[in-house]
Amino acid sequence: MTEIYQLTLYDLIEKIKSKEISCEEATKSYVDRAKKSQKLNCFIEETFDQALDKAKNQSDKIDTSKKLFGAPFAVKDLFCTKGIQTTASSKMLEGFKPEYESTVTSKLWDEGANLLGKLNCDEYAMGSSNETSYFGNVINPYRNDKDLVPGGSSGGSASAVAAHLTSATVGTDTGGSIRQPASFTGTVGLKPTYGRCSRWGIVAFASSLDQAGPMTKDVRDASLLMEVISGHDKKDSTSAQIEQEAFSQKLTKDIKGLKIGIPKEYKIDGMSKEIIDLWDKGIELVKSLGCEIKEISLPHTKYALPAYYIIAPAEASSNLARYDGVRYGFRAEGKDLIEMYENTRSLGFGDEVKRRILIGTYVLSSGYYDAYYLKAQKVRRLIKNDFDEAFKSVDTILTPTTPSAAFAIGENVDDPISMYLNDVLTVPVNLAGLPAISIPAGYDQNNLPLGLQLIGKSFDEQTVLNNAFAIEQSINFKPNFKDWWM
Ligand code: GLN
């Protein structure tokens, strides 16, 4: 029997609207499961009682015009939620209750979704394994003989979707934080074009790269959520003047004639045979669906990771200057103002955040600015130019999402360079501001999920979604973990 929590977001809402399932039953199904899944450590803040109350009220007032009516919905703890603790998984923000709601989350509630709680992530979204969180690591529902990371930074979100603790969620992606955890957990994650979704009310990491996006069980759910969370917002000056689109209604698996690029530079040294085989399988599949495959070149790919790890920390060091012990959350005492600042920042931030602030401050300092920051910005432009050139002859680009499957907890924590290498296939997209999706495409020899990434032209999420939908329908990926943590 299919449990309520196993339904896709789309099917769940249909059943609620046709009164086959009540809002209360839907919320209760998720709450019960989330309560039995504490071991995964997905939730930082639970609003279960509030969600159950709201669902009870919704049950006799079904509003079929609302796109997410009655959907139980937890969100990454990077989105400010009015009156509800928002921490970015940092001690620095413990106890911080925003006076405002982020634009993206307010769109969810306006469409009838129901907040279940806030989901664990890497501290200030800095990380690739969810191990930098002040609230402890998150566990992936997939495991071999060890507990595995869910990826990061939206690790709590990815595990929660995979383990059915929320009907779907929204995460943020600065360098891969939606797509990499989606790949590690067998779920779907879409990073929209920069400017497509408002950043207003999202705790800032690197403002020229951050984007909110859907994390879901399947592609149709991602298209539905995209439709809800996108659109111009005058409160975000980098938000594009493009209105919401009906992505889910235009979703089609007919992709005949689509031109798909395969970038040779993405076959990086040391990439496992399994990942290469998966990629080849994807290429054969789209060919069989009538697509034309073209080898393309993105020659500056190898500079993307170094450029990202200059630009992102530079912006972070500036964004995080606001946490001074005066305005938000945590404060440590000191004998004078300066010592209070120093103590607050020393004790409030974790090691990875401090590393980024140090790197960022260094690359922005006088004498080094031109050599590092300015140079990285120039490289960023070359990377964007590579994509512009490639998209003259193709509609989408197909690559693996990550160079490996999920790894064991603790395996990379002491080695920031190998941790940063996780992002090698995802960061170029952020630097160029493009949309990209990760969809589950198969399993490795240890039965761990692997993802394929599709990259699209600016504001062409529809083609990316259609391409992903067609692949998904053919692969018919099925989650295969047991509820071992209960
Ligand atoms: N893992 C990358 C980092 O640590 C990306 C994080 C993100 O996308 N928020 O910076």
Side-chain angles (χ1 to χ4, degrees):
M1 196 192 96
T2 310
E3 300 286 345
I4 293 177
Y5 57 73
Q6 288 171 317
L7 295 169
T8 63
L9 172 68
Y10 198 92
D11 290 343
L12 176 69
I13 295 166
E14 293 264 282
K15 286 187 192 295
I16 288 176
K17 288 186 180 172
S18 65
K19 303 197 178 153
E20 210 178 305
I21 294 173
S22 73
C23 293
E24 243 180 309
E25 282 172 311
T27 303
K28 200 168 167 323
S29 172
Y30 278 100
V31 167
D32 287 349
R33 191 162 164 87
K35 282 185 180 164
K36 286 190 234 153
S37 304
Q38 307 278 358
K39 186 172 178 352
L40 300 180
N41 199 24
C42 292
F43 282 82
I44 290 177
E45 179 86 355
E46 298 168 345
T47 56
F48 297 159
D49 291 342
Q50 192 179 313
L52 287 163
D53 282 350
K54 185 169 167 200
K56 202 181 267 175
N57 279 329
Q58 281 180 316
S59 281
D60 33 74
K61 301 189 210 74
I62 309 278
D63 185 344
T64 51
S65 71
K66 293 203 186 288
K67 291 184 175 149
L68 304 177
F69 192 80
F73 217 99
V75 298
K76 184 176 186 178
D77 201 22
L78 213 65
F79 292 89
C80 287
T81 40
K82 190 172 178 187
I84 291 160
Q85 179 178 249
T86 299
T87 67
S89 289
S90 183
K91 179 185 170 82
M92 191 61 106
L93 284 173
E94 207 176 10
F96 169 58
K97 290 189 180 166
E99 295 293 326
Y100 41 83
E101 185 76 29
S102 84
T103 297
V104 161
T105 49
S106 62
K107 284 172 183 260
L108 300 173
W109 321 138
D110 287 350
E111 289 292 347
N114 206 339
L115 178 68
L116 277 182
K118 305 295 291 288
L119 298 168
N120 206 339
C121 56
D122 278 302
E123 188 179 2
Y124 286 99
M126 297 173 190
S128 306
S129 64
N130 216 123
E131 290 166 291
T132 72
S133 168
Y134 172 63
F135 300 97
N137 64 267
V138 171
I139 296 174
N140 193 327
Y142 284 93
R143 75 192 305 266
N144 40 33
D145 50 342
K146 296 190 185 112
D147 283 349
L148 305 176
V149 304
S153 65
S154 312
S157 302
S159 269
V161 173
H164 308 293
L165 315 185
T166 176
S167 59
T169 187
V170 284
T172 61
D173 191 312
T174 304
S177 280
I178 286 177
R179 291 160 287 155
Q180 184 253 16
S183 174
F184 279 14
T185 55
T187 54
V188 171
L190 170 64
K191 183 205 93 78
T193 310
Y194 183 79
R196 178 66 102 163
C197 301
S198 171
R199 290 184 299 107
W200 196 81
I202 301 175
V203 176
F205 165 11
S207 307
S208 77
L209 300 158
D210 300 342
Q211 254 302 284
M215 300 179 75
T216 56
K217 296 180 192 180
D218 71 5
V219 175
R220 192 170 51 165
D221 284 357
S223 67
L224 175 65
L225 264 189
M226 255 319 280
E227 197 167 301
V228 171
I229 64 172
S230 56
H232 176 65
D233 178 13
K234 61 179 184 319
K235 289 189 280 198
D236 171 3
S237 61
T238 60
S239 149
Q241 299 270 2
I242 289 186
E243 287 316 311
Q244 273 148 300
E245 286 179 42
F247 296 108
S248 69
Q249 281 148 48
K250 290 191 277 174
L251 195 65
T252 168
K253 59 181 184 187
D254 178 10
I255 54 166
K256 215 163 159 193
L258 204 70
K259 295 191 188 72
I260 303 181
I262 308 298
K264 56 175 189 273
E265 293 81 3
Y266 276 55
K267 202 171 265 185
I268 52 164
D269 285 348
M271 191 180 253
S272 78
K273 181 166 176 318
E274 282 180 298
I275 303 268
I276 293 172
D277 288 349
L278 178 89
W279 195 4
D280 287 341
K281 209 178 87 190
I283 294 172
E284 288 314 312
L285 177 69
V286 288
K287 271 194 206 160
S288 74
L289 296 172
C291 301
E292 192 185 322
I293 293 291
K294 289 194 169 186
E295 184 171 296
I296 56 165
S297 177
L298 299 168
H300 297 93
T301 300
K302 63 174 179 293
Y303 304 116
L305 200 63
Y308 171 84
Y309 276 97
I310 289 173
I311 294 168
E315 294 186 18
S317 72
S318 154
N319 272 327
L320 271 59
R322 74 189 73 175
Y323 303 106
D324 55 6
V326 178
R327 284 169 288 190
Y328 302 88
F330 175 73
R331 170 188 291 189
E333 297 307 324
K335 68 176 183 316
D336 54 24
L337 188 64
I338 300 294
E339 200 183 270
M340 187 280 285
Y341 288 157
E342 286 172 355
N343 290 347
T344 298
R345 289 172 67 81
S346 307
L347 297 170
F349 291 133
D351 288 348
E352 183 59 30
V353 173
K354 285 183 205 161
R355 180 181 312 142
R356 308 271 178 127
I357 293 174
L358 287 172
I359 296 171
T361 309
Y362 179 81
V363 300
L364 288 176
S365 57
S366 116
Y368 297 104
Y369 182 95
D370 289 356
Y372 295 103
Y373 183 70
L374 200 62
K375 189 68 156 254
Q377 291 288 23
K378 290 178 178 169
V379 171
R380 181 177 188 173
R381 165 54 68 174
L382 296 174
I383 289 165
K384 164 106 175 45
N385 290 350
D386 285 353
F387 279 110
D388 288 348
E389 193 53 40
F391 280 123
K392 284 182 187 158
S393 61
V394 297
D395 302 303
T396 59
I397 295 172
L398 177 70
T399 77
T401 309
T402 53
S404 75
F407 45 87
I409 287 169
E411 197 174 312
N412 287 325
V413 266
D414 296 325
D415 185 354
I417 303 287
S418 62
M419 193 66 98
Y420 295 172
L421 273 171
N422 266 285
D423 308 322
V424 66
L425 305 174
T426 49
V427 292
V429 165
N430 299 76
L431 290 170
L434 301 171
I437 197 168
S438 176
I439 52 167
Y443 288 101
D444 73 358
Q445 58 190 7
N446 299 316
N447 258 320
L448 300 179
L450 298 170
L452 281 175
Q453 172 175 240
L454 285 159
I455 306 168
K457 296 177 187 169
S458 275
F459 299 104
D460 193 13
E461 280 82 358
Q462 189 71 58
T463 305
V464 171
L465 285 162
N466 291 349
N467 197 348
F469 188 51
I471 297 179
E472 176 188 70
Q473 297 297 306
S474 302
I475 291 183
N476 198 17
F477 175 91
K478 292 265 179 283
N480 75 351
F481 58 83
K482 303 227 163 31
D483 294 348
W484 55 267
W485 60 90
M486 289 195 181

